Structures are given as structure tokens and as C-alpha cells.
Amino acid sequence: MTTITKSIAAAKAAALAAPLVLLAGATGAQELKIGLSAELSSLDPHYHNLTPNNMLARHIYEPLVGQDEKQALKPLLAESWKAIDDTTWEFKLRKNVKFHDGTPFTADDVIATMQRAPNVPKSPSSFSAYVRGKEFTKVDDFTVRVKTATPAPLVPTDLSTFGIIPAKCKDTTTEDFNLGKCTTGGTGAYKQAEYVAGDRVVLTPNESYWGGKEPWSKVTFRMITSAPTRVAALLAGDLDVIENVPTSDVARLKGDAKLSVASTVSNRVIYFHMDHFREVSPFIKGKDGSEIKNPLRNLKVRQALSMAINRPGIVDRIMEKEAIPAGQLLPDGFFGTSKKLKPVAFDLNGAKKLLAEAGYPNGFKMKLHGPINRYLNDTKIIEAVAQMFSRLGIETEVETLPAANFFTRASQGGQGNVPEFSFILVGWGAGTGESSDSLKALLATFDPAKGMGATNRGRYSNPTFDAKVDEALRTVDDAKRDAALAEAMDISMNDVGLIPTHYQLNTWASRKGVKVQARTDEYTLATGIRKD
Amino acid sequence: MLAFILRRLAQALFVIAAMLVIVFFGVNVVGDPIYMLISPEMDQQQIAETARQLGLDRPIWEQFLVFLKNAVQGDLGRSFVHGESAIKLILSRMPATLELAFVALFMAIVIGLPLGLYAGLKPESRLSRFIMAVSILGFSLPTFWVGLMLILTFAVGLGWLPATGRGPTVSIFGLETSLLTLKGWQHVALPALNLALLKISLVIRLARAGAREAALMDYVKFARAKGLSQSRIIGVHILKNIMIPIVTVLGLEFGSLVAFSVVTETIFAWPGMGRLLLEAITRLDRPVIVAYVMVVVVLFVAINLLVDMVYSALDPRVRLTEATS
């Protein structure tokens, strides 16, 4: 009974205080409310390698190496790093950094983190790939060396993917991290205040943050998976910032004087992968329904298909201009991209000619597959492309599937656990911000032993290309690696290993007076949101 | 009464066991969760390692035996995504959903019953026709659209109510509820109304049909002849009799309110178990899907039992003991 009375009293007090809160709001809102589009699964920074998790964790637990808004590496807990030789990296740690409870940050915390990160029990996607094969040694309190068996140029990139926890919390369980029982906290700009699974995460600023104090007194991340609701909540004033604005709403929000919109090109490319490995492809038939040899193994056919896609049309009409036509796997300017590659120009007659030269003057029949609601407007895009192929003379059907179903079948649905489909729409976000990520996973020859081509659902295989990627992955010198990757990109795109169509734009909308720094990696960071 | 309940429980156990098998194998044909869980950048070794950790590399019958062994002990597995017990996860989200369902049910009765009664007693009046016409909309408009319209009208347009989420919660007898604060009610109003809309229409129709029928019955005529007041005739004689079908239907509908509030919870970002289910389906979090369905099965069985018992209390002609003979 007393609880009720108390809470009624509290409600009354809250009601009385409401005008005061409004007043505070008017004088420069201290509290920041952000609407996220996906749910996180935990606040344990090492439990699940998932974008929303990594993004939230970044506020509390900082990695050694940071990524700026264009995903270029920048110093964070490590002040500097250098390769001493091909197989050794040395990281100099930042001094005078403290965890949230005042414990100083040293090399011991780094070592402890490296022990915990790859070994979190029941992790649905662990960070072990980033720690595997690296030996960490403490040289002194502020120097850590990383030794690898083979040359490893990506060590700093790998170490930018997860946060450093205090040595004291190395045995803290995932559940206890969720409950905020790692009381030492991280070194980040924000402290964990409240976590209601599936609903919200509340952070409070770290008053003694080494990088300076944040302008917000409190940051609330709310998980609102329904896109129209997110937009409505922003319009209603429930939220200050929303991420992942649906393309159909962008124009309207841009026109609203009370709102501002920030966007930048994404590291995510949307592309078509096709069957390179079967003599006869299951979803390709002759015009009369007979079995024919897989035409996709012919370079001219692949070129014709790429030329038949009207990329500017897709960007204008389907993506409502919230995309950029793509000519390779990452937008220009990213590490390891080619300066020579441009989006393939739409040329229907040229494509028809190529198709005839390849021996298919009358085309063939093909079925395209794609996921539903996995990428922006995915179903519409695949339907449009099917029509473009039909104009080329290829009778095209479309089948879209729920993501869970699609990815299983696209990866291993065929006889002998090989990819099932002939021609699929997929997307790829390069989390590391360099093209080695995409080239290695999507186009390198499928080889489980070497960990190459894990997502090569077309089983593209080209020895010249593989050799170039191998070379790049062994080159520690940044400039040389950049050049090698660009060359590998040229080889695979000229060979039409896959057909990129466009890069998505990442878009945020905010209340006027709140400025969001748009990022290529789709992260919504409170540390990048400022009062205007 | 006891024999009846025992028999019902035995039936229930059979239903639960059958559902366990159907659901487990049902969700297992959908696809491989590993591709929904793992970061796409991981290599083959990492994929295999994760599958092994989660027990996904074993043959399906073996997974089922492990699942069955744990299920008998009341453990329906751990969520792949959250790493926590699936049942615990669902129960932790349940109060929010129950709260929403109760408020919706309350709205259905408080709004639906008087309107339906009025329409039944004065079937020819203009207001009655209007009520009936509007109630058709309640049946035919899709929930997600009405939800968005409610948000656009009351939150975006008029700014009276918050667009999304649940209000601050207060703990009472160990249960978290947001219904003890004004803010909590402001938050629950729109989603509950959205969820209740269909039920309101249902109650209006049931009450109207019942009242029209009861008004012509001999006992009502007799009561009127005896000179009883109008309010007593309606409040006691008619209302009590038309309540029987309404209670039956609402009991079953309450189950569906709790189990299938998925759309409303998603639209209004309400942190209940419906959203958990949707999230589990999109990420193929099998243990959570299975546990959810099991919770719903148990809930329905329990509600059915309860309805039967309330039924007997309302209608003295129904004797539960007779049902067993």
C-alpha cells in the first residue's frame, strides 16, 4: 500500500515538475533521445559482433584504435602504432586515461581484454577472428606488442573492432555486463546507467573523460524497429535523432523547417552474385525450357547483364536518389579502391550485341532470387532488374524469400551444401572500411582451410585475382597494399566476378539545433551528435 | 468439479506435448540460424566454430533429444541471440504485454458494453445506427494502419500523447507496472486503444445481439409488468444474461490479445513479448520461438479452463460436474 501511495505522490511530483522540465528543454535541451532501428542483444562488448552492439559499446568501452566517420583509422586508447617488422606491431598506449571509477588504464587491461574477447561463452558471433593468431605481450605499462606468425597488415584494423575492458572485469559474465555489474566501467565518454533489453539503453556522461566532457546530461537510445514509427516519434518530438530514415520519407523530412537531415555514402554496396561454378545452373533454362550450359560462365554474357542494368534509373526511381551508382565494391576514396573503375554505363543495344556474340541472340530463361526487407527496397530493385533483363531478351522470373530462408539457401541450399541459386541480389557492408574485407570474402576462391571466400556465393574463382589479394594481405606497407588491392579490384570487376549496382546512403534526421555527424559505417554515435 | 479439472489438465498436457514436437520441427525447417547470427565478415572456420558452440552442427533428432531432456526439467533452451534462458526472457517481457492486454480488455468492456447495450435496446435510433456503422470499421481496418493513424493524429498532429514506448514503471508486489503513473497511462493509451479496437467492435455486436434478444424474453416482460425500474431491468436482468457469451468470447480474445499483440507492439515500440517474438523470428532465434509458442499454448489452456469456471458462476444452469458424466 505504501508503495502505491508513494508512487502516486511521485506521479504528482512529476506532474508538478513537468513545467520545469519543459523550461529546461527551452533553455538548451540537455537530454538527448535517439531512435535506433535495430535491437542490440547485449551490453557486453565482446559477446556478439553485431552492429548495434558494437555501436552502443563504443560509448562505454573504447577500442585501442578508432575509426573516424569515413572509417579511416585514428588513435583512441592507443596514441600511436607502428610495424616494427613484418610480423610485429607495437602500440603505444595513451597515458592518464582512467576507467569510470577512477582506475587507471594500463597495458594489463589490454592483455586481459585480449584474453576475454575471443572466449565469451555462447557467443552467437565472437570476436575471435580478430584476436586469433596474435600474441600480445606487455613491454611496459604503456606499450603492447603484437606478434603474428605471418605478415599481418590488418592488426590495427582488427583491434578497432572491439572495446577494452578493465582487467578487473575479465571474468564478468555477459549477464552481469547487461546488469551493469562491471562497475569499473570503460574508458569511454559515457557510462552505462540503465539497460532495458529490447527497449532502451540510457547513458550518462563520464565527467572525467580524457577527450573532454560531452554536452549531454543524459543520452537515451530507444530501439524502434518500425521505420514509420521512428519517423512519427521524431515528428512528435519524442526523439531528437533517428537513424535509418526510410528513403520514401527523406524528401519530406528535408522540407520540414523544424528538422535537419544528414547523410553520407555507406560502406554498403548492393550487388548481384551469380553462378560461376556449375556447368549447368539450376535456375537457368533455354527459351524452350530445355537444359542449357550455364551462360554466366561466359564473360560476354556477364558484361551484357551488367550493361543492361540502368543504375541511374534504380538510384532515381527506386532509391529516391538516396543511393549512388556503383562501379566497384566500395565507394571512391575508401582504402583499396580503384581510381579507374566507373559504374558500367547503361547500354541496351551494346548489351544485346554482346549477348549475340556470346551465342545467345535469343537470350535464355533465368530466375533471380533475393531477400525481403534485408536491404533498402531490395524487392523493388530485384523486380526492376528483372524487367531490365527481360528487355535484353532474357526471360526473367523473380522469387524473393524471408532473409532467414534466403541466406541459408543462398549459402548452402544446393546438393552437397553448395549455394543453391543462379543469380542473387545481396549487399555487403565493409566493416573494416577497406576493400580487402570485401575482396577476400566475396570474390576470393572458396577455401575453408585458408578462410578465403567465405561469402563467395557465386564461387567465383580467378587465380590471378587470388594471387593479388594474397599479396595485398601480406603487404604491411599501407601505400603498397592500397595499390595491390586496387589492382585486385580492377581484375575482378573487369572480369565481372559480380555486378555491383549501387551504394546506399546512410541517413539520419534530427530536430533543428541537433547536428548529427553522418558516418559511412551506419553507426549512430552520441559522441558525434552536437548542439548546433 | 475436481474430476472436470483433472480431465482438462490431462487433455492440456497432451496438447502441450504435441505442440512441442510440431513447433520444434516446424522452426527447424525454416533455415539455418547461423547465417542470421554471425557477422557476415567471419570466415568458414568461425562459422563452424559458432555452430558447434550453439549445438547447431548436430543432427536434428539429436538436437531434439537434448531439447526434450531439458524441456522435461522446465528448461526450454537458451536464446541464441541473448544467451539467456528463453523462458526467463519471455517472462521478463510479459508484464508489459499483460499490462497492454488488460488495458485493452478494460477498454473493450467499458466502451463496447454500454454502446452495444444502447444499440440493442434502441435499435431504431440514429445513434444506434451510427454506432453499428462505426463498429464495422473496427473490424475491417488493418491494425498497423490504424496504429499509424493514431500516432499521426494524437502524437504528431495534436501532440496530446507520446508516440511510442512504455512509461516509467513502478514496482509493486514484485511486478513492474507503468499503470500507477500519469505518464504510464499516457503511454499505454494509444497502443491499448489500437489493440482494443477490434474487441470493442466485437463487444458492441455481441451486446447488441444479446440485448435485442433478451429484451423480448418473457422474464423481462414480467419484470416490467411487476413494475421494476428500467435501470434494474437492464442492469440486472438483461445485462447478467447477455454477459455469458461476452465473457466466453472475451476470455478467448484475451489470450489472443496477449499472444498476438505483435503488430501493435512493433508499431508503438512497446517493449513486450510480441516484439521479442518478431525479433526472434527475423533472427531465427529458435529457442525463443519454441518457448514463446509453448507459453502461449499454456496460456490458452489456462484461459479456457478459467472461462469454463467463470461461466458456471454466471449461469447457474451450467454445472461443471455434469460435463464430466
Side-chain angles (χ1 to χ4, degrees):
Chain A
M1 212 42 205
T2 44
T3 333
I4 299 179
T5 344
K6 259 188 213 160
S7 56
I8 290 173
K12 279 184 183 156
L16 286 175
L20 289 175
V21 175
L22 283 178
L23 213 65
T27 54
Q30 294 298 304
E31 195 188 335
L32 180 67
K33 286 180 252 163
I34 301 170
L36 300 182
S37 59
E39 290 187 14
L40 67 160
S41 60
S42 171
L43 270 185
D44 177 343
H46 308 141
Y47 169 70
H48 194 175
N49 182 10
L50 184 78
T51 303
N53 284 32
N54 297 345
M55 170 179 117
L56 244 310
R58 189 109 331 154
H59 294 88
I60 307 169
Y61 310 95
E62 292 172 295
L64 281 183
V65 178
Q67 292 191 357
D68 70 7
E69 71 279 7
K70 289 189 174 126
Q71 286 181 273
L73 300 184
K74 63 167 192 189
L76 212 57
L77 281 184
E79 240 170 10
S80 65
W81 54 89
K82 62 169 190 280
I84 295 179
D85 56 53
D86 263 7
T87 58
T88 316
W89 283 87
E90 186 174 271
F91 290 82
K92 288 279 179 203
L93 306 185
R94 197 176 290 277
K95 288 171 187 158
N96 301 319
V97 172
K98 289 188 168 53
F99 287 102
H100 295 155
D101 73 342
T103 314
F105 158 74
T106 67
D108 292 326
D109 302 306
V110 177
I111 303 293
T113 298
M114 298 311 158
Q115 284 163 0
R116 183 179 192 272
N119 297 315
V120 178
K122 296 274 174 198
S123 165
S125 182
S126 89
F127 288 90
S128 69
Y130 301 119
V131 186
R132 202 163 62 204
K134 299 185 180 73
E135 200 186 306
F136 293 82
T137 42
K138 170 182 168 181
V139 177
D140 59 51
D141 268 357
F142 296 98
T143 313
V144 172
R145 273 202 188 153
V146 186
K147 191 95 185 115
T148 52
T150 50
L154 293 179
V155 169
T157 312
D158 287 348
L159 297 182
S160 71
T161 53
F162 57 91
I164 301 294
I165 54 154
K168 278 185 203 166
C169 294
K170 79 173 170 15
D171 296 320
T172 308
T173 61
T174 298
E175 275 178 26
D176 284 348
F177 262 103
N178 290 341
L179 295 170
K181 286 192 185 164
C182 171
T183 47
T184 317
T187 58
Y190 286 94
K191 298 190 268 192
Q192 174 177 352
E194 193 193 353
Y195 171 44
V196 183
D199 188 38
R200 68 182 68 204
V201 177
V202 182
L203 304 177
T204 49
N206 172 7
E207 304 288 339
S208 50
Y209 181 54
W210 60 267
K213 200 176 163 291
E214 286 290 300
W216 313 107
S217 67
K218 184 174 153 189
V219 179
T220 305
F221 288 91
R222 303 229 358 246
M223 292 161 247
I224 303 178
T225 45
S226 152
T229 309
R230 218 158 47 238
V231 174
L234 175 73
L235 292 173
D238 283 12
L239 297 173
D240 301 313
V241 174
I242 58 168
E243 64 172 14
N244 252 334
V245 182
T247 48
S248 52
D249 282 336
V250 172
R252 184 177 150 223
L253 296 186
K254 272 184 183 160
D256 192 323
K258 284 182 286 187
L259 302 173
S260 37
V261 172
S263 68
T264 187
V265 67
S266 164
N267 63 18
R268 191 178 295 279
V269 63
I270 302 297
Y271 65 94
F272 285 94
H273 227 149
M274 60 212 135
D275 187 347
H276 287 277
F277 70 108
R278 273 176 287 223
E279 276 299 321
V280 174
S281 199
F283 293 96
I284 297 179
K285 295 271 181 294
K287 270 273 163 84
D288 51 359
S290 63
E291 199 167 83
I292 57 167
K293 272 183 71 180
N294 179 1
L296 299 175
R297 299 183 63 152
N298 186 323
L299 174 62
K300 283 186 174 163
V301 173
R302 300 202 294 271
Q303 284 171 332
L305 290 171
S306 187
M307 279 163 91
I309 296 176
N310 183 351
R311 291 176 178 77
I314 292 176
V315 166
D316 271 9
R317 297 298 166 84
I318 300 173
M319 298 301 292
E320 315 212 18
K321 298 199 168 63
E322 293 301 308
I324 294 172
Q328 48 187 327
L329 297 182
L330 267 177
D332 300 343
F334 272 85
F335 192 92
T337 51
S338 163
K339 289 181 180 60
K340 291 182 218 155
L341 293 168
K342 295 278 162 284
V344 174
F346 172 58
D347 176 4
L348 189 61
N349 290 328
K352 277 183 177 158
K353 220 173 111 214
L354 273 171
L355 203 60
E357 281 173 28
Y360 299 94
N362 301 317
F364 46 88
K365 277 188 186 174
M366 180 158 73
K367 192 167 188 180
L368 314 188
H369 290 86
I372 301 169
N373 279 340
R374 175 69 178 214
Y375 311 107
L376 288 174
N377 306 324
D378 43 15
T379 310
K380 287 186 211 160
I381 294 165
I382 195 166
E383 279 165 358
V385 168
Q387 288 188 11
M388 292 169 192
F389 287 172
S390 296
R391 284 180 66 194
L392 183 61
I394 298 171
E395 248 177 69
T396 315
E397 269 183 86
V398 170
E399 186 180 347
T400 49
L401 303 154
N405 227 318
F406 172 77
F407 285 105
T408 307
R409 290 176 63 185
S411 308
Q412 54 165 47
Q415 285 277 317
N417 288 345
V418 295
E420 181 180 344
F421 304 129
S422 297
F423 205 95
I424 56 173
L425 173 127
V426 234
W428 181 268
T432 60
E434 69 163 78
S435 69
S436 59
D437 181 302
S438 341
L439 294 172
K440 184 182 154 190
L442 304 181
L443 289 166
T445 304
F446 182 80
D447 185 349
K450 283 162 73 187
M452 301 297 275
T455 317
N456 186 347
R457 297 190 176 106
R459 295 289 191 267
Y460 175 73
S461 178
N462 177 344
T464 333
F465 169 80
D466 286 350
K468 222 22 179 197
V469 173
D470 264 354
E471 181 198 319
L473 289 173
R474 276 184 282 108
T475 310
V476 174
D477 182 281
D478 271 356
K480 283 185 193 153
R481 188 166 88 257
D482 189 15
L485 287 172
E487 230 177 292
M489 185 73 84
D490 278 332
I491 297 171
S492 59
M493 289 300 115
N494 291 332
D495 197 25
V496 201
L498 51 74
I499 302 178
T501 60
H502 60 273
Y503 311 114
Q504 294 183 348
L505 291 190
N506 297 335
T507 311
W508 288 262
S510 60
R511 193 164 56 71
K512 265 264 146 51
V514 175
K515 200 168 153 50
V516 182
Q517 183 183 48
R519 294 180 61 93
T520 55
D521 56 9
E522 306 177 354
Y523 279 22
T524 304
L525 298 178
T527 46
I529 300 176
R530 292 290 173 258
K531 289 174 197 169
D532 211 2
Chain B
M1 186 79 176
L2 188 69
F4 170 80
I5 293 176
L6 282 178
R7 208 164 102 152
R8 266 313 186 70
L9 281 178
Q11 284 173 353
L13 280 180
F14 173 76
V15 171
I16 289 169
M19 285 305 292
L20 210 62
V21 177
I22 295 171
V23 174
F24 186 86
F25 286 97
V27 296
N28 270 283
V29 295
V30 174
D32 193 340
I34 199 79
Y35 294 103
M36 304 312 294
L37 295 169
I38 200 137
S39 158
E41 282 158 43
M42 293 299 117
D43 60 19
Q44 295 94 329
Q45 186 189 339
Q46 184 92 33
I47 294 175
E49 170 63 21
T50 307
R52 202 184 52 74
Q53 269 214 22
L54 297 174
L56 291 168
D57 56 338
R58 296 192 232 166
I60 178 77
W61 57 269
E62 209 180 306
Q63 290 184 38
F64 183 65
L65 287 185
V66 173
F67 168 74
L68 214 56
K69 208 180 96 204
N70 294 332
V72 172
Q73 292 159 2
D75 173 13
L76 291 179
R78 274 169 169 260
S79 157
F80 293 152
V81 175
H82 299 271
E84 289 178 41
S85 148
I87 282 284
K88 209 178 117 192
L89 212 56
I90 291 167
L91 292 183
S92 73
R93 303 277 187 96
M94 202 184 233
T97 299
L98 282 179
E99 192 172 289
L100 190 63
F102 270 121
V103 176
L105 192 69
F106 179 72
M107 281 182 175
I109 296 171
V110 169
I111 300 173
L113 203 56
L115 292 181
L117 210 54
Y118 180 86
L121 294 172
K122 294 207 166 70
E124 301 305 324
S125 85
R126 271 201 176 157
L127 184 60
S128 297
R129 287 171 196 277
F130 178 71
I131 291 170
M132 296 321 290
V134 172
S135 84
I136 292 173
L137 291 181
F139 273 110
S140 46
L141 294 176
T143 323
F144 72 90
W145 184 83
V146 176
L148 286 173
M149 288 305 119
L150 286 175
I151 293 179
L152 280 182
T153 315
F154 293 101
V156 179
L158 298 167
W160 290 352
L161 295 166
T164 59
R166 190 180 180 205
T169 58
V170 178
S171 182
I172 171 168
F173 309 126
L175 261 180
E176 293 281 326
T177 173
S178 70
L179 296 183
L180 294 173
T181 57
L182 178 67
K183 228 177 157 195
W185 276 97
Q186 286 172 344
H187 273 96
V188 83
L190 287 184
L193 181 64
N194 189 42
L195 198 57
L197 220 54
L198 183 78
K199 315 298 168 199
I200 294 174
S201 312
L202 195 68
V203 173
I204 289 179
R205 307 217 136 217
L206 284 172
R208 173 176 175 271
R212 284 198 76 172
E213 200 183 315
L216 303 172
M217 294 298 244
D218 290 343
Y219 67 85
V220 174
K221 286 183 189 154
F222 186 68
R224 204 165 272 145
K226 231 172 92 181
L228 289 184
S229 69
Q230 183 75 0
S231 62
R232 190 167 165 80
I233 294 172
I234 296 172
V236 178
H237 297 279
I238 294 182
L239 194 61
K240 202 170 169 187
N241 279 291
I242 66 169
M243 278 313 275
I244 294 164
I246 294 180
V247 167
T248 316
V249 171
L250 280 185
L252 295 174
E253 293 292 329
F254 181 71
S256 72
L257 279 180
V258 174
F260 308 115
S261 54
V262 182
V263 175
T264 298
E265 285 188 8
T266 307
I267 296 283
F268 288 91
W270 188 263
M273 50 190 230
R275 260 181 83 194
L276 182 71
L277 175 71
L278 200 71
E279 195 65 17
I281 291 174
T282 48
R283 292 204 193 153
L284 266 194
D285 196 348
R286 286 180 191 161
V288 174
I289 304 176
V290 173
Y292 188 93
V293 177
M294 292 328 290
V295 166
V296 168
V297 168
V298 171
L299 191 77
F300 268 82
V301 168
I303 287 175
N304 272 325
L305 194 64
L306 211 67
V307 166
D308 280 338
M309 281 150 66
V310 174
Y311 212 79
S312 79
L314 274 175
D315 186 349
R317 286 172 304 177
V318 180
R319 286 283 170 262
L320 291 179
T321 37
E322 281 164 27
T324 59
S325 57

